[in-house]
Structure formats: structure tokens, C-alpha cells
Amino acid sequence: FLLQVLTMVQRTCELCKKDIGPEEAFMKMPDEKAAHEKCFSLGSCPVCAKDLRVVEDLVGANGKKYHVDCFKCSKCQQKLQSYVVRDDNLFCKPCVMAEQEKMAAKPKGTCVACSKDVLSNQKAFSMDEGMYHADCFVCAQCKGDLTQGCTILEDKLCCRSCMNNMKEKLLEEKRNQLQEQQARSSQQKNATQSITCAECNQPITTQALQALGRAWHVGCIKCFQCKNPMSGKLFPIDNEPYCGDCAEKRKQESIQRQTQEQNRKQEEHQQDEAKRRAAHEAAEKEREELSKSLQEKAKIQSQSPGVQCSVCGTHIHGAYQELGGIIHCNDCAEMVQKAIVCDKCKKTIAPGVQFRRTQGKFFHLDCFCCVECKSPVKGNNYKEHNGDIFCEEHFAKLLRRFKENCPTCNNPVTDGEVVIEKNSAYHAQCFTCTTCKKPFPNGQYSPSNGGFYCRECFIGAQLAEANKGGIIKINDDE
């Protein structure tokens, strides 16, 4: 646009619609139109969004124009002498430097060696998605520099020299273990060669038959009862070898003894029953005589005026008791003297009302509840601790709160599923069979000798104890 001085021709400003005076400057627009120079806009200020007038003092920066008063730092609002552009915003250098220092103080990761933060302005090394301070990036063995190469062994950094030394050490340990195994094998071989036959007491230099903790020549083993040489199956009885015929005889003898013992017990039982029946008849006869005597006494007492029980109002024609100056019949006196009091609410438990009893204390059914959730406890699904009653769920939480250790792994029971047995808490995965270490099928187990056994292991142990080693089969081909 060309700036001109207004001539004597009268013009009107297209922007403010006012006349342009002879002394006022104007700007020529297309189609021979004109506008005051002060009305003509060069756009809007990026800060205040107001028009930029030609006649106003403007500042150019970052390819844009600003009012002089708007040319300020976007953070501290101070006038700019020099500036830095970030995200189309203007900042003074002190604000930029302060922001850089703040960013440098932020951690960019955690050192694997010392577990401390690695700051942005600190020198660090990265390896296998791990980060190390420059001072921590050293060999765990010799503390030497690792910039020439390193290896991670057992989650620790090692230089090449230390790694080679450790490999040599491991190889030496393997060689020593192999030598020890060879020595043990040699000793076992020599011990096998020096086995003595349990029958002839001669060394066994060829093939040996081992059974019942002893060894025989194949042709020397004999039946303990008939002394005949044995072949085929061996039947251990009282830790001695028996042939099949003798074992069957022993079995029949055992059955005969058991039958005789059962008959003897049955005879004793019949005799005891006869004695009990006789005693019962005598007791019945004695009760009848006593009943007749009491009836006669009651008949005599009923003819007397008697007294009245202060509790139930019954007329008493016989013996009565006076408690605290009040007359009680025998039934009411017994009830008062033996009144049961609830240990929680301290109220009397009336006759006929159901109650719970534990450790010599009595409770109403509604009072026998968990000390934590206040819910009544049904059946025997409760635990006692320091005199308080707990349901199974809150007793498990109590054990976690006090961090009592699991008897199997000796670690605190703090979370997960809990199994409670004999006032001890086990991790669910730790409560397994003492022998096979497997979980109990359907939660069924048998406690024995301080351990817990599944059905198969419990029966197997009982059979092994009764059989004294089981049945051993001798192979004639060997």
C-alpha cells in the first residue's frame, strides 16, 4: 500500500466511517477506497489477540508481531531483552535455565547396583535394560573398569579376567566332585566284594541275594522253619525267610489262635452280660421297694397342712429349704443354687434354654459369637485365642496380623489362602502330605506322630510296618 497525503478531495474512512480530515494520514485500499492510517490493522497480537495498528509501536519476533507491552516472558511476565521460543511461546533466558536445572534434577532411572536414583545430569551406563551410575559400573570381584567389556554372572557384573578365573574355579570344583564320586564308587565296589553269606559265613565272590538286611549265596538261602532250600517267592515273617508251605502253616496257626481268642472273649462277654442282668434285676427290685416307701411317706405328709414355696407357689408337705429367709421347695432350691450364668452378658440362662459351653464357661447361643464380626458361631468352626472366640476367617486374619510363621516353611503367613490346624496357620500350598509332599485329595488327611498324611501314604506305612519289608521275589535265572 502506498502512503499518501490527503488532498482537497473529501474522503471517508472505510473502517471507522468517519471523514478523513485534510491533515490526517490515510492509506489507499483497493477500489479507490481509503482508511485512516491509525485504523488500518496489520493482524492480531499473538498474546492479547487485539488488532495491530500501523501507527502503534510493534515488535517482531519468531516471524510474528507483538505489541510492545505484550512482548513479555510467558512464565515470569517480565519484558524481554532476549528470548527463547518453545512451543510458539516466548521465554526469557533465566526461566529457560531454571527449567533446565529442574529437569536435570529429575531421576531417569534406578541404579541396579546401589538401588539409588540416576539423575538426568549424572553420567550413567545402560546394559540389558538396566542402568548404572558411572561409579557403580565396576567389576563385583576386583572393582575394576568395565568399559572394555563385561559379563553378568548371578546378577552381578564381572570383568573378563574375573570371569575366566571363576570359570577355572568352577571347573576345578567339578573335577574334585568327579574324583570324589569315583572314590565312593570304588569303595562301594570293594564293600560288595567283601559281603559274607548269612548261612555259611563264607565270602560271596559271585552273585549275592540280598533280603531282610542280609545276604546269601543263591543256593544257601533256606526256609527258617523246615530248613529246605528256597526258590521262587520268599515270605518274610518276623524278619526271617519262610517258604510258601511254612508261611501258609503259620497263617493257619495264626487264624486258629485268633479264633480261640475270639471265642474266649465271647464267653467272657456272655458272663459279663449275665452279671449285668442280675445286678439290673436287683436294682429294679430295690427301686420298687424304695418307691413304695416314698409313696407311703408322701401319703402321710399330704395329710399335714405344710408350707408354700415362695418361688413356684407349690404347697410343700415334706422337706423344704430356706435360702436367704425365703422358703424354696427342693426343685426350686436346686435350680437357684445351680443357676448357669452367661459369661458374656452375665445373665442367667433359664431352664430349657439352649446354651454353649467351652473351657468351663457358659454362653447363650446368641452370645457365643466371633469377637471380630459379632456373628454367632455354629458347630465347632471356631478358634480360641487369649480367652476370645474367633470364627475361622477372622482367626486366620489374626494370625496374619501377628505374623505367626507357617510351621512348614517358617515364613510369615501374611496373605493368600490359609489352612488352620491345631491353632497353627499354614500356607495352603505348604499344608501337604508329610511323606509324598502332595496336596490332600478332597482335603482328607490323617494326623500321626506330629505329621499329616494322605490316605495312601498312611495305609502304606501301616502295611509296611505290619509286613516287615513285604514279599521279595527271587529270580532263578540270576
Side-chain angles (χ1 to χ4, degrees):
F1 300 103
L2 179 63
L3 182 62
Q4 296 180 349
V5 179
L6 184 63
T7 60
M8 296 302 293
V9 180
Q10 184 66 35
R11 296 179 183 272
T12 303
C13 177
E14 290 294 327
L15 297 178
C16 66
K17 304 302 180 179
K18 294 182 179 180
D19 293 337
I20 300 175
E23 301 298 331
E24 292 180 322
F26 71 96
M27 297 192 68
K28 206 169 186 180
M29 300 176 63
D31 300 332
E32 297 299 326
K33 295 180 180 180
H36 289 105
E37 183 180 359
K38 61 182 180 181
C39 294
F40 199 85
S41 175
L42 297 177
S44 60
C45 176
V47 177
C48 66
K50 295 181 180 180
D51 290 336
L52 297 170
R53 305 294 183 182
V54 177
V55 295
E56 295 176 329
D57 293 332
L58 305 177
V59 178
N62 193 27
K64 300 179 182 178
K65 292 185 179 296
Y66 300 80
H67 293 114
V68 173
D69 295 336
C70 295
F71 192 63
K72 299 178 182 179
C73 175
S74 298
K75 187 172 183 180
C76 66
Q77 301 299 317
Q78 298 294 325
K79 290 187 177 181
L80 296 171
Q81 302 297 327
S82 59
Y83 64 91
V84 177
V85 180
R86 283 190 176 179
D87 298 330
D88 290 335
N89 293 321
L90 303 178
F91 296 90
C92 62
K93 289 185 177 181
C95 290
V96 173
M97 293 177 65
E99 185 67 22
Q100 290 177 348
E101 292 177 357
K102 183 177 179 181
M103 293 297 296
K106 290 184 178 180
K108 59 181 178 181
T110 303
C111 178
V112 177
C114 66
S115 300
K116 295 181 179 180
D117 292 336
V118 179
L119 303 180
S120 300
N121 58 353
Q122 290 180 325
K123 185 178 179 181
F125 294 92
S126 297
M127 183 175 181
D128 291 344
E129 298 182 358
M131 188 174 293
Y132 300 83
H133 290 110
D135 295 338
C136 297
F137 194 67
V138 293
C139 176
Q141 301 292 330
C142 65
K143 307 301 180 182
D145 185 22
L146 297 177
T147 56
Q148 301 301 322
C150 66
T151 303
I152 296 179
L153 180 64
E154 296 180 353
D155 296 332
K156 295 182 180 179
L157 299 173
C158 291
C159 61
R160 293 178 178 177
S161 176
C162 292
M163 186 64 188
N164 293 332
N165 294 336
M166 294 180 69
K167 286 182 178 179
E168 290 295 333
K169 184 178 179 180
L170 291 174
L171 290 174
E172 184 65 24
E173 292 178 355
K174 291 292 183 182
R175 284 194 290 267
N176 294 336
Q177 291 177 1
L178 181 60
Q179 291 176 0
E180 292 177 358
Q181 291 177 358
Q182 292 175 350
R184 286 196 297 269
S185 299
S186 179
Q187 292 176 358
Q188 292 176 357
K189 184 176 180 181
N190 294 333
T192 303
Q193 294 176 353
S194 61
I195 295 176
T196 302
C197 178
E199 181 67 25
C200 64
N201 293 325
Q202 297 297 323
I204 302 176
T205 57
T206 57
Q207 187 177 7
L209 173 63
Q210 293 185 346
L212 307 175
R214 287 166 285 177
W216 291 269
H217 292 105
V218 175
C220 289
I221 187 168
K222 298 179 181 180
C223 174
F224 182 76
Q225 184 168 345
C226 65
K227 306 300 181 182
N228 292 327
M230 297 179 59
S231 62
K233 290 185 179 180
L234 179 150
F235 296 85
I237 300 176
D238 297 334
N239 206 33
E240 296 294 343
Y242 283 76
C243 63
D245 294 338
C246 293
E248 184 63 25
K249 290 179 182 179
R250 287 288 300 267
K251 181 179 178 181
Q252 294 299 329
E253 292 175 357
S254 177
I255 293 174
Q256 185 177 1
R257 286 195 299 270
Q258 291 178 0
T259 303
Q260 293 175 354
E261 183 67 19
Q262 290 177 356
N263 293 335
R264 184 184 63 80
K265 290 182 177 180
Q266 187 174 3
E267 291 177 358
E268 292 179 353
H269 178 71
Q270 291 176 354
Q271 294 175 0
D272 292 341
E273 284 292 331
K275 292 179 180 179
R276 281 195 293 271
R277 284 195 297 270
H280 179 71
E281 291 175 357
E284 285 291 334
K285 184 176 180 181
E286 184 178 354
R287 280 196 293 270
E288 289 178 359
E289 294 177 354
L290 180 60
S291 177
K292 290 180 180 179
S293 176
L294 292 175
Q295 289 176 1
E296 292 176 357
K297 290 181 179 180
K299 184 177 181 181
I300 296 172
Q301 292 175 357
S302 62
Q303 297 174 357
S304 61
V307 294
Q308 187 176 9
C309 175
S310 300
V311 177
C312 64
T314 304
H315 289 279
I316 305 172
H317 297 284
Y320 63 90
Q321 299 184 39
E322 187 173 347
L323 302 175
I326 301 175
I327 296 175
H328 294 74
C329 64
N330 289 333
D331 293 338
C332 291
E334 183 179 2
M335 183 184 300
V336 172
Q337 291 174 347
K338 295 184 178 180
I340 302 175
V341 178
C342 176
D343 190 70
K344 183 176 180 181
C345 67
K346 306 304 179 183
K347 295 181 180 180
T348 302
I349 300 176
V353 176
Q354 294 184 350
F355 60 93
R356 296 290 298 269
R357 180 178 181 180
T358 177
Q359 294 187 354
K361 298 178 181 179
F362 298 87
F363 299 87
H364 291 105
L365 292 183
D366 294 337
C367 295
F368 192 73
C369 56
C370 175
V371 72
E372 292 289 341
C373 63
K374 311 302 181 184
S375 298
V377 179
K378 298 181 180 179
N380 294 323
N381 298 325
Y382 69 93
K383 301 292 180 182
E384 295 187 29
H385 182 75
N386 293 336
D388 293 327
I389 305 297
F390 292 83
C391 63
E392 295 281 3
E393 178 182 357
H394 286 92
F395 184 74
K397 293 182 179 179
L398 175 69
L399 294 178
R400 292 193 185 100
R401 186 160 64 244
F402 287 97
K403 298 184 178 179
E404 295 185 17
N405 292 344
C406 172
T408 302
C409 65
N410 201 28
N411 291 324
V413 182
T414 57
D415 56 3
E417 186 177 356
V418 177
V419 178
I420 300 174
E421 178 62 32
K422 294 183 179 179
N423 283 344
S424 296
Y426 296 78
H427 295 108
Q429 64 270 21
C430 294
F431 192 68
T432 57
C433 176
T434 304
T435 301
C436 65
K437 307 301 181 184
K438 295 181 180 179
F440 299 111
N442 300 324
Q444 298 179 355
Y445 59 91
S446 299
S448 179
N449 298 329
F452 305 96
Y453 301 85
C454 63
R455 183 174 182 274
E456 294 182 358
C457 293
F458 182 79
I459 295 176
Q462 298 296 324
L463 291 176
E465 180 67 19
N467 202 23
K468 299 292 184 180
I471 299 175
I472 304 175
K473 182 178 180 181
I474 302 174
N475 192 343
D476 294 331
D477 296 335
E478 296 181 358

